[in-house]
Amino acid sequence: MPQHNATEFIKKGEKEYLHHLSIDCVLFGYHDRHLKVLLLKWKDAEKWSLPGGFIRLDENLEQAATRILNERTGLDEIFLQQFQTFGEPGRSYRSKEDVAHLSTITNAAMGPDHWLLKRTVSIGYYAVTEYSKVNPQPDHLSDECTWCEIDAVPRLIFDHNLIFSEALKALRMQIYHQPIGYNLLPEKFTLPEIHDLYETILGKALDRRNFAKKIVSLGLIKKLNERKSIGAHRSPFLYKFDKRRYDKALREGMILAF
Amino acid sequence: MPQHNATEFIKKGEKEYLHHLSIDCVLFGYHDRHLKVLLLKWKDAEKWSLPGGFIRLDENLEQAATRILNERTGLDEIFLQQFQTFGEPGRSYRSKEDVAHLSTITNAAMGPDHWLLKRTVSIGYYAVTEYSKVNPQPDHLSDECTWCEIDAVPRLIFDHNLIFSEALKALRMQIYHQPIGYNLLPEKFTLPEIHDLYETILGKALDRRNFAKKIVSLGLIKKLNERKSIGAHRSPFLYKFDKRRYDKALREGMILAF
DNA sequence: TCAAAAGTGTTCAATGTACACCCATGC
DNA sequence: GCATGGGTGTACATTGAACACTTTTGA
């Protein structure tokens, strides 16, 4: 039962969602050596936030997070990771200004007991996607939904800056224990491409030769007898993921060091 | 405002705690080469559970977890780690039997809309303590609170077996990145003692000589000019933690490999 | 022929791993 | 003197880190 507008959401949401709980998603987007994060801008204000939402009465947490991201991006089959739960009292709607603004943009009177204004504990999820084909859609409360370079994240509402930075920390930790890239690279990709991916996510330079040795020795990718033509340069070999081994590494973990 | 009995808790809790949310704690106890976990047994039944509780309206999550454990153990200054949040619909009070039993032991009529029976998302915390001086106290709903060997954990209610095993996994992961032992060992301890601690928590044998080299080379512990008398055997040297470096490693992490 | 990017291998240092003997102590 | 547990060092294998030249391509 999708809400058709913000006013309805404010009024009817009370009966459709779990109170005191929300989900915030940090969706990282990778493309061409850039790592970005999906942000929303509140209507008629310079207030930015992470995409978030509430949990339906009978929905599990991961489904809810998937739905929230799907509504903003159209993406399906997002590989989500729950990373932390944030519950400081007063973490949301601490300022009267935020409340007044919410009231204005939703055109709804909200008493202090309104369900949306109650103390809310937020479960944080993150995911990574290839962003070049995503067309971000604002939600009811926003007039903009856009990718933002992770080094240029503005001040966000509530504790969303904390949530973002914890997500980035978790992502960078995860990359040492689980494979990454299957959804971020084309089916066939070159070593320089996956090398750029790792450098971008980790935010640091990795020696080309050592990287190639390690990534190949993990056995998750295999070299093809094809090259990619990249113009006035030597043509790099193409590789593809060995899906069996990739999935095994996803399940069982691995150890990587750079 | 502590509840004095289960009936009061059932009735008045509605206004004192956040709905739809709970905290479950996995408290590991170490002593003399044994790793145990604190469990509660429901009144008049062979139903075991992890210690858990609810979050007061103005309490932060870690305070709530600390309070819950403090009520069971009297312990203060517990180093808690939030590790995962569990929210499958139907994870708690799925069976009518459980509901009926709760109703019986609390002597309270509970309709299907009772706050305790609503869908509840539980935030998992774990901690480790020295258990030999702890006198576990049952809560309102239990008639037993006791340490159980981690290899002999019985069937637990709800999804508590899952919560327990995820906590154990997280603890064993953490031990590679953060120092452990400050609260688990006496102020002065021997290398064999800390060696036993690591073997017990990890559940595997570690080479004595290599362990000593690594743990000393981390610089977190320092050798004293004292030995411990252990009867008819060579007296091992005593060590103590270097608190400054220990705290630094807690904050910044470290890397350990066994 | 030149500029730009890709491919590749070796050396050295550090770390991890396996392993065994002697020493101290109290009975 | 003996049983028990503690202390210690070495050799080898593995891994990580640093590093530079040659090849390919199209303009």
Side-chain angles (χ1 to χ4, degrees):
Chain A
M1 45 187 115
Q3 267 71 39
H4 300 298
N5 62 54
T7 313
E8 258 183 64
F9 166 71
I10 293 291
K11 288 186 182 162
K12 298 196 182 161
E14 174 158 24
K15 292 177 186 159
E16 294 177 14
Y17 299 101
L18 293 183
H19 293 197
H20 299 298
L21 272 168
S22 66
I23 284 181
D24 284 306
C25 296
V26 182
L27 182 60
F28 294 101
Y30 175 78
H31 182 70
D32 190 24
R33 302 196 200 198
H34 289 272
L35 189 63
K36 306 198 179 189
V37 60
L38 190 69
L39 297 182
L40 292 160
K41 192 176 85 55
W42 276 22
K43 279 179 177 154
D44 312 317
E46 275 304 312
K47 289 178 190 288
W48 292 86
S49 76
L50 295 169
F54 298 90
I55 302 156
R56 295 214 174 117
L57 299 183
D58 269 310
E59 187 179 42
N60 80 30
L61 304 180
E62 193 169 318
Q63 279 166 5
T66 304
R67 173 177 54 76
I68 289 163
L69 284 183
N70 176 270
E71 287 169 1
R72 300 282 75 71
T73 63
L75 291 168
D76 258 331
E77 308 206 10
I78 306 169
F79 183 59
L80 280 153
Q81 298 278 126
Q82 187 199 297
F83 67 99
Q84 199 177 321
T85 294
F86 300 84
E88 285 296 310
R91 54 169 288 283
S92 65
Y93 292 109
R94 197 190 319 231
S95 83
K96 292 190 178 175
E97 189 202 338
D98 285 351
V99 176
H101 192 71
L102 179 65
S103 194
T104 306
I105 62 185
T106 59
N107 194 29
M110 285 187 290
D113 291 334
H114 192 277
W115 71 283
L116 261 180
L117 304 183
K118 287 182 190 167
R119 174 177 174 189
T120 299
V121 170
S122 191
I123 304 167
Y125 279 84
Y126 74 86
V128 194
T129 189
E130 216 286 344
Y131 71 73
S132 67
K133 287 171 191 160
V134 174
N135 221 312
Q137 299 297 325
D139 64 15
H140 309 308
L141 306 179
S142 310
D143 55 20
E144 210 174 308
C145 181
T146 184
W147 295 103
C148 171
E149 291 284 342
I150 60 160
D151 293 329
V153 171
R155 173 126 204 284
L156 305 176
I157 60 165
F158 305 164
D159 54 355
H160 286 195
N161 287 95
L162 173 66
I163 296 177
F164 163 73
S165 65
E166 291 295 320
L168 183 58
K169 207 190 291 177
L171 167 65
R172 286 180 172 165
M173 188 75 77
Q174 182 204 228
I175 206 175
Y176 290 108
H177 299 291
Q178 294 205 295
I180 210 166
Y182 192 79
N183 301 308
L184 306 179
L185 294 171
E187 193 192 337
K188 298 176 182 180
F189 53 89
T190 67
L191 278 186
E193 283 167 349
I194 192 172
H195 177 239
D196 286 342
L197 172 65
Y198 273 77
E199 283 196 335
T200 304
I201 291 182
L202 289 173
K204 66 182 186 189
L206 304 172
D207 182 89
R208 245 176 351 121
R209 291 157 290 189
N210 294 336
F211 177 84
K213 264 181 291 185
K214 276 182 212 163
I215 204 79
V216 169
S217 76
L218 278 178
L220 303 179
I221 67 175
K222 49 192 179 194
K223 194 173 184 172
L224 303 176
N225 271 328
E226 293 174 67
R227 291 156 179 270
K228 179 175 183 176
S229 177
I230 54 165
H233 307 291
R234 180 170 187 170
S235 309
F237 281 99
L238 285 164
Y239 288 75
K240 64 191 242 184
F241 284 104
D242 181 332
K243 194 64 165 50
R244 283 172 57 90
R245 296 203 190 189
Y246 186 93
D247 288 338
K248 184 160 179 253
L250 265 189
R251 284 194 309 275
E252 300 172 13
M254 57 179 204
I255 292 174
L256 200 50
F258 290 120
Chain B
M1 43 188 117
Q3 267 73 37
H4 300 299
N5 62 54
T7 313
E8 258 183 63
F9 166 72
I10 294 290
K11 289 187 182 161
K12 297 197 181 160
E14 174 158 22
K15 291 178 185 158
E16 294 177 15
Y17 299 102
L18 294 182
H19 293 197
H20 298 297
L21 272 169
S22 66
I23 285 182
D24 284 305
C25 296
V26 181
L27 181 60
F28 294 102
Y30 175 78
H31 182 70
D32 190 23
R33 304 198 199 197
H34 289 272
L35 189 62
K36 305 197 178 190
V37 60
L38 191 69
L39 297 182
L40 292 160
K41 191 177 86 55
W42 277 20
K43 279 179 178 155
D44 311 317
E46 276 303 314
K47 290 179 188 286
W48 292 87
S49 76
L50 294 169
F54 297 90
I55 302 156
R56 295 214 173 117
L57 299 183
D58 268 312
E59 187 179 43
N60 80 28
L61 304 180
E62 194 170 318
Q63 278 165 7
T66 303
R67 173 177 54 76
I68 289 164
L69 283 184
N70 175 271
E71 288 169 0
R72 300 282 74 70
T73 62
L75 291 168
D76 258 333
E77 308 206 8
I78 305 170
F79 184 58
L80 280 154
Q81 299 278 126
Q82 187 199 298
F83 68 98
Q84 199 177 323
T85 294
F86 300 85
E88 285 297 309
R91 53 170 289 282
S92 64
Y93 292 108
R94 196 189 321 229
S95 83
K96 291 190 177 173
E97 190 202 337
D98 286 350
V99 176
H101 192 72
L102 180 65
S103 196
T104 306
I105 63 184
T106 58
N107 194 28
M110 285 188 290
D113 290 336
H114 191 278
W115 71 281
L116 261 179
L117 304 184
K118 287 182 189 166
R119 174 178 174 189
T120 299
V121 170
S122 190
I123 305 168
Y125 280 84
Y126 73 86
V128 193
T129 189
E130 217 284 343
Y131 71 74
S132 67
K133 287 171 190 159
V134 173
N135 220 311
Q137 300 296 326
D139 65 14
H140 310 307
L141 306 179
S142 310
D143 54 20
E144 211 176 308
C145 182
T146 184
W147 296 102
C148 171
E149 291 283 341
I150 60 160
D151 293 329
V153 172
R155 172 126 205 284
L156 305 175
I157 61 166
F158 304 166
D159 56 353
H160 286 196
N161 287 96
L162 173 66
I163 296 177
F164 164 72
S165 65
E166 291 294 319
L168 183 57
K169 206 189 291 177
L171 167 66
R172 287 180 172 165
M173 188 75 78
Q174 183 203 228
I175 206 175
Y176 290 106
H177 299 290
Q178 294 205 295
I180 210 165
Y182 193 77
N183 301 307
L184 307 180
L185 295 171
E187 193 192 338
K188 299 176 182 178
F189 52 89
T190 67
L191 279 187
E193 283 167 350
I194 193 172
H195 177 239
D196 286 342
L197 172 65
Y198 273 77
E199 283 196 335
T200 304
I201 291 182
L202 289 173
K204 66 181 186 189
L206 305 172
D207 182 90
R208 241 173 358 118
R209 291 157 291 190
N210 294 335
F211 177 83
K213 264 182 291 186
K214 276 182 212 164
I215 204 78
V216 169
S217 78
L218 278 178
L220 303 179
I221 65 175
K222 49 191 177 194
K223 193 174 185 173
L224 304 177
N225 271 328
E226 292 174 69
R227 289 156 181 270
K228 179 175 182 176
S229 178
I230 55 163
H233 307 292
R234 179 171 187 168
S235 309
F237 281 100
L238 285 164
Y239 288 75
K240 63 191 244 184
F241 284 104
D242 181 332
K243 195 64 166 51
R244 282 173 57 91
R245 296 204 190 188
Y246 187 93
D247 289 338
K248 184 158 180 256
L250 267 189
R251 285 194 308 275
E252 300 172 13
M254 58 179 204
I255 292 174
L256 200 49
F258 290 120

